[in-house]
Amino acid sequence: MKDWTGILRLEAEVRNGKTVAKNVYFQGAFKVMRPVYHDDSGQACYYILNPGGGYLDGDRYQMKISLEEQARLTLTTQSATKIYKTPNQYAYHETEITLKRGSYLEYITDPLIGYQDARYKQKTVIRMEKGATLLYSDIITSGWSPDGAQFSYDMLQLINEIYVDDELMVFDHIKLNPAAKDMNSLGFMEGYSHLGSMIVVGEQADNDLLDRLYHAIHEDTKEYKIGLSLLPASGIIIRILADSTQTIEKIHTACHHIINREFFNTTPSFLRKY
Amino acid sequence: MDKNALSLFQLCDSNFPTGAFSHSYGLESYIQEDHVHDQKTLSEWLHVYVNEQLVHSDGLASRLVFDALQDGDLETVWKLDRMLTVQNLPRETREGTQKMGDRMLNLVGSLYEVPVLSLYRERINKKQCFGHPAIVFTMIGHHLGVSRSTTILYYLYSVTSSIVQNAVRAIPLGQTAGQRTIQQFQDVLMEATEKIESLDEEDFGIISPGLELSQMKHERVNIRIFMS
């Protein structure tokens, strides 16, 4: 396993109440901008850039992120991740995240757009110590094709493994395979085009929080469908089926606000990107 | 049918008290939203449930557990017990399945003297394992010397026949329509077993977004006859 198209390493620690990079390294088609401090909380925000503009046939990306005790970091993409057609070999992105006790990572990715005939596999392994907190979110769109047809990509696969104190506590495996299945049918996307996931793991994620989230985002509407549940670790999963990125982002943002208020008494910053 | 297969078949009886009669695995949400309302729509739902969810979780795990038992590799068995539990993200189905695994293990533990069953029990008591019916079932199939594919097939049959029984009560459907569904499903189960035999280990735990979401939504259903 060599020849990465892009590599990114980021180790963050706290110095004088501020989260700073202890080590940053990137190579190839991955880049991070200088951290942004949106407020005076000391939480750093890093934007990941993909200078190539998208993932191509056989591209392989590797990211390693680690947070020392008490470090607080927002990690986000600068724009949507585009996967172009992959005639020979699927594009691959693996991420390893290590969170020490008391640290907090918000890993909020922009939507994934699979172009016609694209295949993509993403594997994210998160190792947290008890007492660390994670907020993760992703959005999978119905992709892009010249004639506007939905689900013209071949396959998008996202695997998330979350370990707490070295025990596997969450295993989430999404594999959308429109090349072989009708995405609109019962049990799959059921007529919706976008799938959103948010995962929160942290000692304060309990049934009360689940109820509060549910009441904040539940509506009797056909515009979207949501499912929320408690994870085997202390954590919560929120799944959303909807017809636009904006609808999912709105719900994710609402949840994010409630979670940050409950956990840290803070308000998440607006991530300016465009 | 030989004697051993008959013994395993006892576990497939819908009267075998594991508590399966109180779980719908999200089907109740579909019934309440009127997406499943007759034999045809039930078959459609069951098709997705078996081919998309069961095959990638319980089915594949059963195959891997069977092989691990054959190799005396118990670490892999315990690992799969964890994988099956932590990939099941909707709390109700996860906890319901765990409870069924527990009851099934107690029951077969009093019917069979098998060391691996007692080990599994011990580990669950010590919270080192969670408990899962697919694993208990596979342990018995392996112990009885039933082939791997028959063990998987019977397991799939036991799950689908209890769901159909539940659907007959919940939709409601006539008993004949229920039996017809099970009969028509025989080929589907044979094919699903073949699919499990050829799956890549990397395909473990793939979810169907709609099914999973409905299993989560069930937690918020006000009037319900099933626990999941």
Side-chain angles (χ1 to χ4, degrees), chain A residues 121 167-168 171 173 175 181 187-188 190 211 226 229-231 239, chain B residues 30 52 82 86-87 91 94 202-204 207-208 210 212 217 219-220:
Chain A
K121 181 174 175 177
E167 296 264 41
L168 181 63
F171 184 82
H173 192 170
K175 189 177 182 183
K181 317 262 169 180
F188 291 93
E190 306 191 338
D211 280 345
I226 52 164
S229 203
L230 280 182
L231 295 169
R239 288 259 209 244
Chain B
Y30 284 94
E52 302 305 325
R82 175 170 285 273
V86 302
Q87 64 84 33
R91 182 187 54 80
R94 180 177 64 247
E202 293 243 310
D203 289 330
F204 182 82
I207 60 138
S208 281
E212 191 206 49
K217 272 183 84 174
E219 292 178 22
R220 302 282 166 179

PDB file of all heavy atoms in Angstrom, chain A residues 121 167-168 171 173 175 181 187-188 190 211 226 229-231 239, chain B residues 30 52 82 86-87 91 94 202-204 207-208 210 212 217 219-220:
ATOM      1  N   LYS A 121     -14.611   4.205  -2.413  1.00  0.00           N
ATOM      2  CA  LYS A 121     -14.654   3.534  -1.115  1.00  0.00           C
ATOM      3  C   LYS A 121     -13.965   4.422  -0.086  1.00  0.00           C
ATOM      4  O   LYS A 121     -12.864   4.925  -0.333  1.00  0.00           O
ATOM      5  CB  LYS A 121     -13.941   2.186  -1.215  1.00  0.00           C
ATOM      6  CG  LYS A 121     -13.961   1.406   0.082  1.00  0.00           C
ATOM      7  CD  LYS A 121     -13.369   0.015  -0.113  1.00  0.00           C
ATOM      8  CE  LYS A 121     -13.278  -0.694   1.229  1.00  0.00           C
ATOM      9  NZ  LYS A 121     -12.791  -2.067   1.090  1.00  0.00           N
ATOM     10  N   GLU A 167     -12.136  -0.900  22.198  1.00  0.00           N
ATOM     11  CA  GLU A 167     -13.222  -1.835  21.891  1.00  0.00           C
ATOM     12  C   GLU A 167     -14.059  -1.253  20.756  1.00  0.00           C
ATOM     13  O   GLU A 167     -14.479  -0.095  20.824  1.00  0.00           O
ATOM     14  CB  GLU A 167     -14.145  -2.017  23.111  1.00  0.00           C
ATOM     15  CG  GLU A 167     -13.477  -2.641  24.310  1.00  0.00           C
ATOM     16  CD  GLU A 167     -13.716  -4.137  24.388  1.00  0.00           C
ATOM     17  OE1 GLU A 167     -13.658  -4.816  23.330  1.00  0.00           O
ATOM     18  OE2 GLU A 167     -13.957  -4.613  25.501  1.00  0.00           O
ATOM     19  N   LEU A 168     -14.331  -2.080  19.739  1.00  0.00           N
ATOM     20  CA  LEU A 168     -15.179  -1.625  18.639  1.00  0.00           C
ATOM     21  C   LEU A 168     -16.593  -1.385  19.171  1.00  0.00           C
ATOM     22  O   LEU A 168     -17.233  -2.292  19.698  1.00  0.00           O
ATOM     23  CB  LEU A 168     -15.207  -2.674  17.524  1.00  0.00           C
ATOM     24  CG  LEU A 168     -16.048  -2.315  16.292  1.00  0.00           C
ATOM     25  CD1 LEU A 168     -15.502  -1.090  15.579  1.00  0.00           C
ATOM     26  CD2 LEU A 168     -16.122  -3.491  15.329  1.00  0.00           C
ATOM     27  N   PHE A 171     -20.068   0.206  14.215  1.00  0.00           N
ATOM     28  CA  PHE A 171     -19.654  -0.215  12.881  1.00  0.00           C
ATOM     29  C   PHE A 171     -20.761   0.187  11.921  1.00  0.00           C
ATOM     30  O   PHE A 171     -21.869  -0.325  11.994  1.00  0.00           O
ATOM     31  CB  PHE A 171     -19.420  -1.731  12.852  1.00  0.00           C
ATOM     32  CG  PHE A 171     -18.897  -2.236  11.530  1.00  0.00           C
ATOM     33  CD1 PHE A 171     -17.550  -2.156  11.236  1.00  0.00           C
ATOM     34  CD2 PHE A 171     -19.758  -2.776  10.582  1.00  0.00           C
ATOM     35  CE1 PHE A 171     -17.055  -2.612  10.016  1.00  0.00           C
ATOM     36  CE2 PHE A 171     -19.274  -3.239   9.358  1.00  0.00           C
ATOM     37  CZ  PHE A 171     -17.920  -3.151   9.083  1.00  0.00           C
ATOM     38  N   HIS A 173     -21.775   0.715   7.965  1.00  0.00           N
ATOM     39  CA  HIS A 173     -21.364   0.328   6.616  1.00  0.00           C
ATOM     40  C   HIS A 173     -22.468   0.657   5.612  1.00  0.00           C
ATOM     41  O   HIS A 173     -23.495  -0.010   5.568  1.00  0.00           O
ATOM     42  CB  HIS A 173     -21.065  -1.181   6.602  1.00  0.00           C
ATOM     43  CG  HIS A 173     -20.375  -1.641   5.357  1.00  0.00           C
ATOM     44  ND1 HIS A 173     -19.850  -2.896   5.224  1.00  0.00           N
ATOM     45  CD2 HIS A 173     -20.132  -1.025   4.180  1.00  0.00           C
ATOM     46  CE1 HIS A 173     -19.303  -3.033   4.020  1.00  0.00           C
ATOM     47  NE2 HIS A 173     -19.470  -1.913   3.374  1.00  0.00           N
ATOM     48  N   LYS A 175     -23.267   1.015   1.627  1.00  0.00           N
ATOM     49  CA  LYS A 175     -22.775   0.731   0.274  1.00  0.00           C
ATOM     50  C   LYS A 175     -23.956   0.909  -0.668  1.00  0.00           C
ATOM     51  O   LYS A 175     -24.866   0.085  -0.686  1.00  0.00           O
ATOM     52  CB  LYS A 175     -22.211  -0.684   0.205  1.00  0.00           C
ATOM     53  CG  LYS A 175     -21.491  -0.987  -1.095  1.00  0.00           C
ATOM     54  CD  LYS A 175     -20.903  -2.399  -1.050  1.00  0.00           C
ATOM     55  CE  LYS A 175     -20.123  -2.726  -2.305  1.00  0.00           C
ATOM     56  NZ  LYS A 175     -19.616  -4.116  -2.272  1.00  0.00           N
ATOM     57  N   LYS A 181     -28.639  -2.142  -8.137  1.00  0.00           N
ATOM     58  CA  LYS A 181     -29.944  -2.082  -7.460  1.00  0.00           C
ATOM     59  C   LYS A 181     -30.706  -0.820  -7.848  1.00  0.00           C
ATOM     60  O   LYS A 181     -30.098   0.204  -8.140  1.00  0.00           O
ATOM     61  CB  LYS A 181     -29.760  -2.010  -5.930  1.00  0.00           C
ATOM     62  CG  LYS A 181     -28.726  -2.918  -5.366  1.00  0.00           C
ATOM     63  CD  LYS A 181     -29.354  -4.162  -4.813  1.00  0.00           C
ATOM     64  CE  LYS A 181     -28.269  -5.108  -4.522  1.00  0.00           C
ATOM     65  NZ  LYS A 181     -28.293  -6.305  -4.043  1.00  0.00           N
ATOM     66  N   GLY A 187     -36.941   0.082   0.903  1.00  0.00           N
ATOM     67  CA  GLY A 187     -35.789  -0.380   1.672  1.00  0.00           C
ATOM     68  C   GLY A 187     -34.501   0.342   1.336  1.00  0.00           C
ATOM     69  O   GLY A 187     -33.575   0.361   2.119  1.00  0.00           O
ATOM     70  N   PHE A 188     -34.412   0.914   0.140  1.00  0.00           N
ATOM     71  CA  PHE A 188     -33.188   1.640  -0.236  1.00  0.00           C
ATOM     72  C   PHE A 188     -33.406   3.137   0.037  1.00  0.00           C
ATOM     73  O   PHE A 188     -33.642   3.514   1.157  1.00  0.00           O
ATOM     74  CB  PHE A 188     -32.825   1.357  -1.700  1.00  0.00           C
ATOM     75  CG  PHE A 188     -32.372  -0.061  -1.903  1.00  0.00           C
ATOM     76  CD1 PHE A 188     -33.274  -1.045  -2.279  1.00  0.00           C
ATOM     77  CD2 PHE A 188     -31.056  -0.413  -1.692  1.00  0.00           C
ATOM     78  CE1 PHE A 188     -32.859  -2.359  -2.449  1.00  0.00           C
ATOM     79  CE2 PHE A 188     -30.634  -1.723  -1.861  1.00  0.00           C
ATOM     80  CZ  PHE A 188     -31.538  -2.695  -2.231  1.00  0.00           C
ATOM     81  N   GLU A 190     -35.859   4.890  -1.190  1.00  0.00           N
ATOM     82  CA  GLU A 190     -37.314   5.065  -1.092  1.00  0.00           C
ATOM     83  C   GLU A 190     -37.799   6.389  -1.674  1.00  0.00           C
ATOM     84  O   GLU A 190     -38.626   7.080  -1.076  1.00  0.00           O
ATOM     85  CB  GLU A 190     -37.763   4.870   0.356  1.00  0.00           C
ATOM     86  CG  GLU A 190     -37.284   3.528   0.896  1.00  0.00           C
ATOM     87  CD  GLU A 190     -37.899   3.120   2.228  1.00  0.00           C
ATOM     88  OE1 GLU A 190     -38.370   4.011   2.947  1.00  0.00           O
ATOM     89  OE2 GLU A 190     -37.908   1.913   2.522  1.00  0.00           O
ATOM     90  N   ASP A 211     -33.978  12.565  22.998  1.00  0.00           N
ATOM     91  CA  ASP A 211     -35.334  13.119  22.990  1.00  0.00           C
ATOM     92  C   ASP A 211     -35.330  14.579  22.553  1.00  0.00           C
ATOM     93  O   ASP A 211     -36.166  15.008  21.771  1.00  0.00           O
ATOM     94  CB  ASP A 211     -35.955  13.037  24.392  1.00  0.00           C
ATOM     95  CG  ASP A 211     -36.484  11.642  24.675  1.00  0.00           C
ATOM     96  OD1 ASP A 211     -36.618  10.854  23.708  1.00  0.00           O
ATOM     97  OD2 ASP A 211     -36.741  11.329  25.850  1.00  0.00           O
ATOM     98  N   ILE A 226     -36.564  11.060   9.046  1.00  0.00           N
ATOM     99  CA  ILE A 226     -35.425  10.927   9.948  1.00  0.00           C
ATOM    100  C   ILE A 226     -35.557   9.709  10.850  1.00  0.00           C
ATOM    101  O   ILE A 226     -36.647   9.279  11.199  1.00  0.00           O
ATOM    102  CB  ILE A 226     -35.235  12.171  10.860  1.00  0.00           C
ATOM    103  CG1 ILE A 226     -36.547  12.507  11.567  1.00  0.00           C
ATOM    104  CG2 ILE A 226     -34.698  13.348  10.093  1.00  0.00           C
ATOM    105  CD1 ILE A 226     -36.377  13.438  12.739  1.00  0.00           C
ATOM    106  N   SER A 229     -31.283   7.099  16.921  1.00  0.00           N
ATOM    107  CA  SER A 229     -31.217   6.018  17.894  1.00  0.00           C
ATOM    108  C   SER A 229     -29.978   6.135  18.761  1.00  0.00           C
ATOM    109  O   SER A 229     -29.043   6.862  18.426  1.00  0.00           O
ATOM    110  CB  SER A 229     -31.236   4.671  17.176  1.00  0.00           C
ATOM    111  OG  SER A 229     -31.692   3.675  18.054  1.00  0.00           O
ATOM    112  N   LEU A 230     -30.022   5.406  19.875  1.00  0.00           N
ATOM    113  CA  LEU A 230     -28.854   5.368  20.758  1.00  0.00           C
ATOM    114  C   LEU A 230     -27.919   4.279  20.278  1.00  0.00           C
ATOM    115  O   LEU A 230     -28.348   3.175  19.948  1.00  0.00           O
ATOM    116  CB  LEU A 230     -29.279   5.041  22.195  1.00  0.00           C
ATOM    117  CG  LEU A 230     -29.859   6.155  23.069  1.00  0.00           C
ATOM    118  CD1 LEU A 230     -30.150   5.595  24.454  1.00  0.00           C
ATOM    119  CD2 LEU A 230     -28.925   7.357  23.171  1.00  0.00           C
ATOM    120  N   LEU A 231     -26.639   4.575  20.249  1.00  0.00           N
ATOM    121  CA  LEU A 231     -25.629   3.608  19.804  1.00  0.00           C
ATOM    122  C   LEU A 231     -25.225   2.689  20.952  1.00  0.00           C
ATOM    123  O   LEU A 231     -25.481   2.992  22.117  1.00  0.00           O
ATOM    124  CB  LEU A 231     -24.411   4.381  19.290  1.00  0.00           C
ATOM    125  CG  LEU A 231     -24.660   5.217  18.036  1.00  0.00           C
ATOM    126  CD1 LEU A 231     -23.493   6.141  17.768  1.00  0.00           C
ATOM    127  CD2 LEU A 231     -24.911   4.309  16.845  1.00  0.00           C
ATOM    128  N   ARG A 239     -30.040   9.516  11.084  1.00  0.00           N
ATOM    129  CA  ARG A 239     -30.049   9.300   9.632  1.00  0.00           C
ATOM    130  C   ARG A 239     -31.167  10.122   9.028  1.00  0.00           C
ATOM    131  O   ARG A 239     -32.258  10.199   9.588  1.00  0.00           O
ATOM    132  CB  ARG A 239     -30.331   7.846   9.325  1.00  0.00           C
ATOM    133  CG  ARG A 239     -29.179   6.967   9.648  1.00  0.00           C
ATOM    134  CD  ARG A 239     -28.363   6.569   8.454  1.00  0.00           C
ATOM    135  NE  ARG A 239     -27.799   5.280   8.774  1.00  0.00           N
ATOM    136  CZ  ARG A 239     -26.499   5.044   8.896  1.00  0.00           C
ATOM    137  NH1 ARG A 239     -25.611   5.999   8.677  1.00  0.00           N
ATOM    138  NH2 ARG A 239     -26.080   3.842   9.221  1.00  0.00           N
TER     139      ARG A 239
ATOM    140  N   TYR B  30     -43.546   0.135   8.383  1.00  0.00           N
ATOM    141  CA  TYR B  30     -44.040   0.080   7.005  1.00  0.00           C
ATOM    142  C   TYR B  30     -45.540  -0.237   6.959  1.00  0.00           C
ATOM    143  O   TYR B  30     -46.257   0.262   6.111  1.00  0.00           O
ATOM    144  CB  TYR B  30     -43.274  -0.969   6.190  1.00  0.00           C
ATOM    145  CG  TYR B  30     -41.891  -0.510   5.774  1.00  0.00           C
ATOM    146  CD1 TYR B  30     -40.771  -0.823   6.540  1.00  0.00           C
ATOM    147  CD2 TYR B  30     -41.705   0.243   4.617  1.00  0.00           C
ATOM    148  CE1 TYR B  30     -39.510  -0.413   6.169  1.00  0.00           C
ATOM    149  CE2 TYR B  30     -40.446   0.664   4.231  1.00  0.00           C
ATOM    150  CZ  TYR B  30     -39.349   0.334   5.012  1.00  0.00           C
ATOM    151  OH  TYR B  30     -38.106   0.761   4.630  1.00  0.00           O
ATOM    152  N   GLU B  52     -30.869  -7.897   1.576  1.00  0.00           N
ATOM    153  CA  GLU B  52     -30.005  -6.751   1.841  1.00  0.00           C
ATOM    154  C   GLU B  52     -29.517  -6.702   3.279  1.00  0.00           C
ATOM    155  O   GLU B  52     -28.365  -6.430   3.539  1.00  0.00           O
ATOM    156  CB  GLU B  52     -30.738  -5.443   1.495  1.00  0.00           C
ATOM    157  CG  GLU B  52     -31.213  -5.380   0.061  1.00  0.00           C
ATOM    158  CD  GLU B  52     -30.103  -5.616  -0.957  1.00  0.00           C
ATOM    159  OE1 GLU B  52     -28.957  -5.203  -0.708  1.00  0.00           O
ATOM    160  OE2 GLU B  52     -30.388  -6.239  -2.011  1.00  0.00           O
ATOM    161  N   ARG B  82     -19.519  -9.410  18.656  1.00  0.00           N
ATOM    162  CA  ARG B  82     -19.420  -7.946  18.808  1.00  0.00           C
ATOM    163  C   ARG B  82     -19.787  -7.215  17.510  1.00  0.00           C
ATOM    164  O   ARG B  82     -20.545  -6.259  17.523  1.00  0.00           O
ATOM    165  CB  ARG B  82     -17.996  -7.567  19.250  1.00  0.00           C
ATOM    166  CG  ARG B  82     -17.739  -6.071  19.313  1.00  0.00           C
ATOM    167  CD  ARG B  82     -16.417  -5.755  19.970  1.00  0.00           C
ATOM    168  NE  ARG B  82     -16.475  -5.929  21.404  1.00  0.00           N
ATOM    169  CZ  ARG B  82     -16.865  -4.969  22.261  1.00  0.00           C
ATOM    170  NH1 ARG B  82     -17.200  -3.793  21.812  1.00  0.00           N
ATOM    171  NH2 ARG B  82     -16.913  -5.212  23.543  1.00  0.00           N
ATOM    172  N   VAL B  86     -22.582  -4.353  17.218  1.00  0.00           N
ATOM    173  CA  VAL B  86     -22.263  -2.936  17.007  1.00  0.00           C
ATOM    174  C   VAL B  86     -22.594  -2.439  15.596  1.00  0.00           C
ATOM    175  O   VAL B  86     -22.576  -1.237  15.355  1.00  0.00           O
ATOM    176  CB  VAL B  86     -20.794  -2.588  17.372  1.00  0.00           C
ATOM    177  CG1 VAL B  86     -20.498  -2.925  18.814  1.00  0.00           C
ATOM    178  CG2 VAL B  86     -19.809  -3.257  16.444  1.00  0.00           C
ATOM    179  N   GLN B  87     -22.901  -3.361  14.665  1.00  0.00           N
ATOM    180  CA  GLN B  87     -23.323  -2.884  13.351  1.00  0.00           C
ATOM    181  C   GLN B  87     -24.842  -2.637  13.338  1.00  0.00           C
ATOM    182  O   GLN B  87     -25.375  -2.065  12.403  1.00  0.00           O
ATOM    183  CB  GLN B  87     -22.926  -3.860  12.232  1.00  0.00           C
ATOM    184  CG  GLN B  87     -23.575  -5.227  12.273  1.00  0.00           C
ATOM    185  CD  GLN B  87     -24.954  -5.287  11.636  1.00  0.00           C
ATOM    186  OE1 GLN B  87     -25.235  -4.587  10.667  1.00  0.00           O
ATOM    187  NE2 GLN B  87     -25.838  -6.100  12.188  1.00  0.00           N
ATOM    188  N   ARG B  91     -31.408   1.010  18.135  1.00  0.00           N
ATOM    189  CA  ARG B  91     -31.349   0.430  19.487  1.00  0.00           C
ATOM    190  C   ARG B  91     -32.368  -0.687  19.706  1.00  0.00           C
ATOM    191  O   ARG B  91     -32.039  -1.726  20.266  1.00  0.00           O
ATOM    192  CB  ARG B  91     -31.557   1.521  20.544  1.00  0.00           C
ATOM    193  CG  ARG B  91     -31.457   1.027  21.974  1.00  0.00           C
ATOM    194  CD  ARG B  91     -31.833   2.095  22.987  1.00  0.00           C
ATOM    195  NE  ARG B  91     -33.140   2.687  22.746  1.00  0.00           N
ATOM    196  CZ  ARG B  91     -34.303   2.137  23.099  1.00  0.00           C
ATOM    197  NH1 ARG B  91     -34.324   0.974  23.725  1.00  0.00           N
ATOM    198  NH2 ARG B  91     -35.446   2.733  22.826  1.00  0.00           N
ATOM    199  N   ARG B  94     -31.397  -3.870  17.993  1.00  0.00           N
ATOM    200  CA  ARG B  94     -30.165  -4.396  18.608  1.00  0.00           C
ATOM    201  C   ARG B  94     -30.469  -5.054  19.948  1.00  0.00           C
ATOM    202  O   ARG B  94     -30.093  -6.197  20.192  1.00  0.00           O
ATOM    203  CB  ARG B  94     -29.153  -3.264  18.791  1.00  0.00           C
ATOM    204  CG  ARG B  94     -27.842  -3.696  19.417  1.00  0.00           C
ATOM    205  CD  ARG B  94     -26.841  -2.565  19.508  1.00  0.00           C
ATOM    206  NE  ARG B  94     -27.255  -1.476  20.388  1.00  0.00           N
ATOM    207  CZ  ARG B  94     -27.555  -0.252  19.988  1.00  0.00           C
ATOM    208  NH1 ARG B  94     -27.517   0.065  18.717  1.00  0.00           N
ATOM    209  NH2 ARG B  94     -27.917   0.674  20.860  1.00  0.00           N
ATOM    210  N   GLU B 202     -15.587  -8.561   3.418  1.00  0.00           N
ATOM    211  CA  GLU B 202     -15.654  -7.096   3.462  1.00  0.00           C
ATOM    212  C   GLU B 202     -17.071  -6.561   3.305  1.00  0.00           C
ATOM    213  O   GLU B 202     -17.308  -5.376   3.520  1.00  0.00           O
ATOM    214  CB  GLU B 202     -14.792  -6.520   2.336  1.00  0.00           C
ATOM    215  CG  GLU B 202     -13.331  -6.766   2.510  1.00  0.00           C
ATOM    216  CD  GLU B 202     -12.577  -5.446   2.656  1.00  0.00           C
ATOM    217  OE1 GLU B 202     -12.794  -4.574   1.808  1.00  0.00           O
ATOM    218  OE2 GLU B 202     -11.799  -5.321   3.615  1.00  0.00           O
ATOM    219  N   ASP B 203     -17.994  -7.423   2.881  1.00  0.00           N
ATOM    220  CA  ASP B 203     -19.378  -6.981   2.706  1.00  0.00           C
ATOM    221  C   ASP B 203     -20.167  -7.036   4.006  1.00  0.00           C
ATOM    222  O   ASP B 203     -21.372  -6.790   4.027  1.00  0.00           O
ATOM    223  CB  ASP B 203     -20.083  -7.845   1.647  1.00  0.00           C
ATOM    224  CG  ASP B 203     -19.576  -7.558   0.253  1.00  0.00           C
ATOM    225  OD1 ASP B 203     -19.162  -6.406   0.012  1.00  0.00           O
ATOM    226  OD2 ASP B 203     -19.575  -8.477  -0.585  1.00  0.00           O
ATOM    227  N   PHE B 204     -19.497  -7.373   5.087  1.00  0.00           N
ATOM    228  CA  PHE B 204     -20.202  -7.506   6.354  1.00  0.00           C
ATOM    229  C   PHE B 204     -20.855  -6.190   6.786  1.00  0.00           C
ATOM    230  O   PHE B 204     -20.242  -5.132   6.729  1.00  0.00           O
ATOM    231  CB  PHE B 204     -19.256  -7.973   7.469  1.00  0.00           C
ATOM    232  CG  PHE B 204     -19.972  -8.165   8.776  1.00  0.00           C
ATOM    233  CD1 PHE B 204     -20.666  -9.328   9.032  1.00  0.00           C
ATOM    234  CD2 PHE B 204     -19.995  -7.149   9.720  1.00  0.00           C
ATOM    235  CE1 PHE B 204     -21.362  -9.497  10.218  1.00  0.00           C
ATOM    236  CE2 PHE B 204     -20.691  -7.300  10.914  1.00  0.00           C
ATOM    237  CZ  PHE B 204     -21.374  -8.480  11.156  1.00  0.00           C
ATOM    238  N   ILE B 207     -25.833  -1.896   5.234  1.00  0.00           N
ATOM    239  CA  ILE B 207     -27.227  -1.631   5.589  1.00  0.00           C
ATOM    240  C   ILE B 207     -28.037  -1.208   4.372  1.00  0.00           C
ATOM    241  O   ILE B 207     -27.494  -0.803   3.361  1.00  0.00           O
ATOM    242  CB  ILE B 207     -27.352  -0.511   6.651  1.00  0.00           C
ATOM    243  CG1 ILE B 207     -26.747   0.807   6.121  1.00  0.00           C
ATOM    244  CG2 ILE B 207     -26.706  -0.926   7.946  1.00  0.00           C
ATOM    245  CD1 ILE B 207     -27.555   2.013   6.446  1.00  0.00           C
ATOM    246  N   SER B 208     -29.355  -1.301   4.523  1.00  0.00           N
ATOM    247  CA  SER B 208     -30.272  -0.705   3.562  1.00  0.00           C
ATOM    248  C   SER B 208     -30.825   0.543   4.224  1.00  0.00           C
ATOM    249  O   SER B 208     -31.495   0.442   5.239  1.00  0.00           O
ATOM    250  CB  SER B 208     -31.445  -1.640   3.294  1.00  0.00           C
ATOM    251  OG  SER B 208     -31.068  -2.620   2.420  1.00  0.00           O
ATOM    252  N   GLY B 210     -33.294   2.677   3.882  1.00  0.00           N
ATOM    253  CA  GLY B 210     -34.719   2.752   4.201  1.00  0.00           C
ATOM    254  C   GLY B 210     -35.120   1.812   5.333  1.00  0.00           C
ATOM    255  O   GLY B 210     -35.846   2.195   6.256  1.00  0.00           O
ATOM    256  N   GLU B 212     -33.195   0.499   7.676  1.00  0.00           N
ATOM    257  CA  GLU B 212     -32.589   0.893   8.940  1.00  0.00           C
ATOM    258  C   GLU B 212     -33.324   2.087   9.542  1.00  0.00           C
ATOM    259  O   GLU B 212     -33.609   2.132  10.742  1.00  0.00           O
ATOM    260  CB  GLU B 212     -31.114   1.235   8.716  1.00  0.00           C
ATOM    261  CG  GLU B 212     -30.350   1.387  10.009  1.00  0.00           C
ATOM    262  CD  GLU B 212     -29.152   2.296   9.849  1.00  0.00           C
ATOM    263  OE1 GLU B 212     -29.295   3.397   9.288  1.00  0.00           O
ATOM    264  OE2 GLU B 212     -28.060   1.886  10.286  1.00  0.00           O
ATOM    265  N   LYS B 217     -37.151   4.633  13.316  1.00  0.00           N
ATOM    266  CA  LYS B 217     -38.412   5.356  13.468  1.00  0.00           C
ATOM    267  C   LYS B 217     -39.384   4.623  14.387  1.00  0.00           C
ATOM    268  O   LYS B 217     -40.203   5.234  15.051  1.00  0.00           O
ATOM    269  CB  LYS B 217     -39.094   5.535  12.103  1.00  0.00           C
ATOM    270  CG  LYS B 217     -38.648   6.776  11.367  1.00  0.00           C
ATOM    271  CD  LYS B 217     -39.406   6.929  10.075  1.00  0.00           C
ATOM    272  CE  LYS B 217     -40.746   7.615  10.288  1.00  0.00           C
ATOM    273  NZ  LYS B 217     -41.418   7.901   9.007  1.00  0.00           N
ATOM    274  N   GLU B 219     -38.974   3.371  17.118  1.00  0.00           N
ATOM    275  CA  GLU B 219     -38.846   3.765  18.525  1.00  0.00           C
ATOM    276  C   GLU B 219     -39.848   4.851  18.899  1.00  0.00           C
ATOM    277  O   GLU B 219     -40.159   5.038  20.063  1.00  0.00           O
ATOM    278  CB  GLU B 219     -37.427   4.309  18.794  1.00  0.00           C
ATOM    279  CG  GLU B 219     -36.370   3.254  18.691  1.00  0.00           C
ATOM    280  CD  GLU B 219     -34.960   3.806  18.905  1.00  0.00           C
ATOM    281  OE1 GLU B 219     -34.824   4.877  19.521  1.00  0.00           O
ATOM    282  OE2 GLU B 219     -34.017   3.157  18.440  1.00  0.00           O
ATOM    283  N   ARG B 220     -40.298   5.592  17.879  1.00  0.00           N
ATOM    284  CA  ARG B 220     -41.177   6.731  18.148  1.00  0.00           C
ATOM    285  C   ARG B 220     -42.625   6.430  17.786  1.00  0.00           C
ATOM    286  O   ARG B 220     -43.460   7.329  17.785  1.00  0.00           O
ATOM    287  CB  ARG B 220     -40.708   7.944  17.350  1.00  0.00           C
ATOM    288  CG  ARG B 220     -39.279   8.337  17.656  1.00  0.00           C
ATOM    289  CD  ARG B 220     -39.187   9.099  18.952  1.00  0.00           C
ATOM    290  NE  ARG B 220     -37.804   9.190  19.406  1.00  0.00           N
ATOM    291  CZ  ARG B 220     -37.456   9.830  20.517  1.00  0.00           C
ATOM    292  NH1 ARG B 220     -38.356  10.417  21.267  1.00  0.00           N
ATOM    293  NH2 ARG B 220     -36.201   9.849  20.894  1.00  0.00           N
TER     294      ARG B 220
END
